[in-house]
Amino acid sequence: MELILRYMKKYSARIAQSMGIKLLGAVTELMIPYILEHLIDEVVPLGQLGQAVLWGGLMILTALATRQLNIAANRIAVDNAHNVSYDIRQDLFTRTANLSGAQFDRFGLPSLISRMTSDSYNVQSCVQSLQTMCIRMPILLLGGIGVTMAMDPVLSGILCVIVPVLIVVILAVSRYGIPLYRKVQEKLDDVVRIMREDITGIRVVKALSKTEYEKGRFGAANDAMTRADIKASVIMAIPGPLMQMCLNIGLTLVVWIGAARVNNGQIKPGVILAFLTYFNMVMQGVMGINRIFMMISKASASANRIGQVLAAPIDQKVLPPEEAKKPAGDEFIRFEHVTFSYHDGAEGSVEESRREQCLYDISFALKKGESLGIIGPTGCGKTTIINLLMRFYDVEKGGVFVDGRDVRSYEKDELRRKFGVVFQNDMVFYNTLRENIRFGRALNDADLMRAVEDAVAAEYVDSLEEGLDYQADIKGGNLSGGQKQRLLISRALAGHPEILVLDDSSSALDYKTDAALRKAIFERYQDSTTIMIAQRVSSIQNMTHILVLESGRCIGYGTHQELLESCPAYREIYQAQMGALA
C-alpha cells in the first residue's frame, strides 16, 4: 500500500475534494431515516398537511442531495484513479524499458506484461474505492451506530454485539487473502506467457497440427489460475454469508424487541422503521468494509509486484573514466578476452540461478570502416557478442571497447546512437513504412528513399500504390519475409550509423538480392564499421575479418582465404554450402 499512497500524494488536493464531497453525501444519507422517524412520530399525529408536506419535501430534497453529492464525488474519484494508474503505468514502462538484459530475463516478458495491465488495473480500482467506499462505509457504520444509540440504546446494543465480531473476521480473512491474490497474479503470468507464445507462433501450431496440444497446455495454465482465483475468492467471501446471516438475525431481533418496547410505550413506531433502515446502513457499512479489504488485499499484492520492478536497482551504472578499463590498442571496436554467462533463473540473486556459460575468452579488433563476419552453429554465442557490444549485458571478464572507450563509460543513449541494427526476428510496427523506417528520428524523405534503395527495397516500395505511406500490419503481417527484412535493413541504414550490425538479417533474401545488398553496403557505407552475423559463407566471405564460433569459443579468425586454409570447421561449412550450390 505504500506505493499506492505515494502515487496518490500527487493528487492529494483532488482526492481530499472527492472524499469531502463523499463525506457530505454520507451525512445527508444518514439524515433520511431520522427525518422519516420525525415525520411518522411527531408530524403525522398532528394531522397538519402542511407540516407533513414540508417534512416530506425535506426528505426528498435530502435524498436528491445525497444522490448528486455521490455522483460528483464518484466522478472526481474515477478521474483521480485514472491519473494515479496512468502515472504508475508510465513509470513502470520507463523502468521496464531501462531494465538490463539480465533483469529483463529474471522478470520475464509475460510477468512484465501482466504487471503493466492487470496489476495496474487492480491498483486503479483500489484507488477509486479508497476515495468512495473508505469514506462512505465507515460513516454509515459509525454514524448509524451513533444515531441508533441516541434513539434507543437497547436496540443499538444488538449492533454493538454483532459488528465487532464481523470486523474481527474481516481483518483475519483479509490478512490471509493477500498472499493468495499474489499467487493468482503469478498464475496469470503463466497464462499470458502461453497465450503470447501461441498467438506469436500460431502458424507453426497450425502447420504441425498442434492446436489441440496447445489448447491443452493453455487449459492447464488457465485451470491453475482459475483454481488459485477461486481459492482466494472463496476465502475472501467467507465474511459475506456470515454478515448476511447476522443481518437477518439482527433484523428479526430488532422487530421482535422493538415491537415489545412499542407495546410497553418505551419507544414510538417510527423509531422501529428508522432503526431498520439504520440497521441496513450499518450492515451495508460492514459489508462495504469487507469489500474494501478484498480490494486492498488484491491491490496490495499487485502493488508489491509493480514495486519489485520500480525498485529494481540500476545494475548497469556509467563508470567514471578513472574506473573504466583502457583498451590495449587504438582500434575502433575491441573485444579483449571476453567471458560471459547468462544467468537462467527467476527473480532473486544471481547466486541462486543456473549459470549458462556462453562466451569464453573472445578477442578481436576492428578499425573504423572495417567489417566483421561472424559464423557458427546455432547457440554458439553470435548474438551474445552484439548484446555485449551494445551493453544489453555486462561482461564477466575482459573488456569491450568502442572508439577507444570502455562501453560501460558511455551513457546508454550516447553508445546506442552509434548503431544501426537489424536483429533476428526484429519488430515491424503497426504504422506506415515511412514511420517504420524513420522511427522517430529527424530524417527527411531523401534520407529514407536512399536507405530504401541501398536495402534493395525500392522496387517493392514503388510497386505499392501508397509507396512509403503503405500501412504495415502488426509485426508486418501483410509483408513477406524478404520485404520485412529489407524494411528493417532500411531502418538500420537510414541514420547512416557509425556501426552497422546485421544479425542474420538476409536469411529471407535470395542470393541475388543478398549480393546486391552487400554491394550497396560496401560501396556506400565505407565509413561505417560493419558486423554481420550470417549462416551463409557467401554473405561474409568478403568481410575484412571473419570470426568462427563454436560452443562459445573462437575456433577461427582471419580472412576468408586464411580460414579456408587454417580452420577445418569453416572449410567444412564452405564446402557444404558451395557444393550444394554447385
Side-chain angles (χ1 to χ4, degrees), residues 11 20 27-28 30 49 62 80 89 175 203 295 314 341 394 425 427 494 513:
Y11 304 98
V27 170
T28 56
L30 284 171
L49 182 60
T62 305
N80 292 335
R89 283 193 297 269
R175 184 176 181 182
R203 293 184 181 180
M295 191 74 70
I314 299 175
S341 301
D394 281 336
N425 304 316
M427 188 67 181
T513 304

Side-chain angles (χ1 to χ4, degrees), residues 145-161 257 261 266-267 271 275:
I145 291 174
V147 174
T148 53
M149 289 192 71
M151 283 185 170
D152 189 80
V154 175
L155 291 180
S156 67
I158 299 172
L159 288 174
C160 293
V161 171
I257 297 174
R261 290 175 66 78
Q266 295 171 301
I267 59 174
V271 172
F275 202 97

Side-chain angles (χ1 to χ4, degrees), residues 88-112:
I88 289 175
R89 283 193 297 269
Q90 285 292 110
D91 289 349
L92 186 57
F93 179 85
T94 300
R95 186 67 194 96
T96 300
N98 286 286
L99 291 174
S100 68
Q103 289 174 320
F104 204 93
D105 293 342
R106 283 196 289 270
F107 282 113
L109 180 59
S111 178
L112 291 170

Side-chain angles (χ1 to χ4, degrees), residues 426-485:
D426 214 337
M427 188 67 181
V428 175
F429 295 91
Y430 180 67
N431 212 326
T432 63
L433 301 186
R434 183 190 313 280
E435 293 307 318
N436 263 287
I437 298 171
R438 179 178 285 132
F439 205 55
R441 296 171 291 182
L443 301 174
N444 57 41
D445 283 355
D447 295 328
L448 301 184
M449 284 309 303
R450 189 179 304 112
V452 168
E453 292 171 3
D454 293 342
V456 200
E459 183 179 350
Y460 95 77
V461 171
D462 291 341
S463 69
L464 300 172
E465 184 177 347
E466 301 93 334
L468 287 176
D469 293 319
Y470 181 75
Q471 179 73 36
D473 285 347
I474 299 172
K475 300 192 73 174
N478 55 344
L479 302 175
S480 70
Q483 289 173 336
K484 281 191 285 188
Q485 285 194 336

Side-chain angles (χ1 to χ4, degrees), residues 511 573-582:
Y511 282 94
I573 296 172
Y574 175 78
Q575 290 173 346
Q577 293 183 0
M578 295 301 108
L581 289 174

Side-chain angles (χ1 to χ4, degrees), residues 490-518:
S490 300
R491 179 195 294 167
L493 297 177
H496 210 98
E498 293 184 62
I499 304 171
L500 177 61
V501 176
L502 303 174
D503 185 355
D504 200 18
S505 60
S506 60
S507 58
L509 303 181
D510 59 80
Y511 282 94
K512 181 179 178 181
T513 304
D514 186 20
L517 170 64
R518 283 184 278 112

Side-chain angles (χ1 to χ4, degrees), residues 338-362:
V338 170
T339 295
F340 174 75
S341 301
Y342 286 109
H343 302 285
D344 180 24
E347 297 172 27
S349 66
V350 168
E351 290 73 21
E352 296 173 352
S353 62
R354 182 170 59 84
R355 297 165 63 84
E356 182 185 347
Q357 203 74 33
C358 191
L359 292 178
Y360 304 82
D361 196 28
I362 299 297

Side-chain angles (χ1 to χ4, degrees), residues 373-378 380 382 511 533-541 546-551 553 555-557 560 563-582:
I374 305 177
I375 194 169
T378 301
C380 66
K382 300 186 294 294
Y511 282 94
I533 297 174
Q535 300 296 334
R536 300 174 183 169
V537 171
S538 61
S539 297
I540 61 171
Q541 63 182 5
I546 298 173
L547 174 65
V548 185
L549 292 176
E550 185 176 282
S551 300
R553 299 181 183 274
I555 60 171
Y557 186 74
H560 170 69
L563 289 172
L564 286 178
E565 298 173 1
S566 63
C567 182
Y570 183 81
R571 185 167 58 248
E572 183 180 343
I573 296 172
Y574 175 78
Q575 290 173 346
Q577 293 183 0
M578 295 301 108
L581 289 174

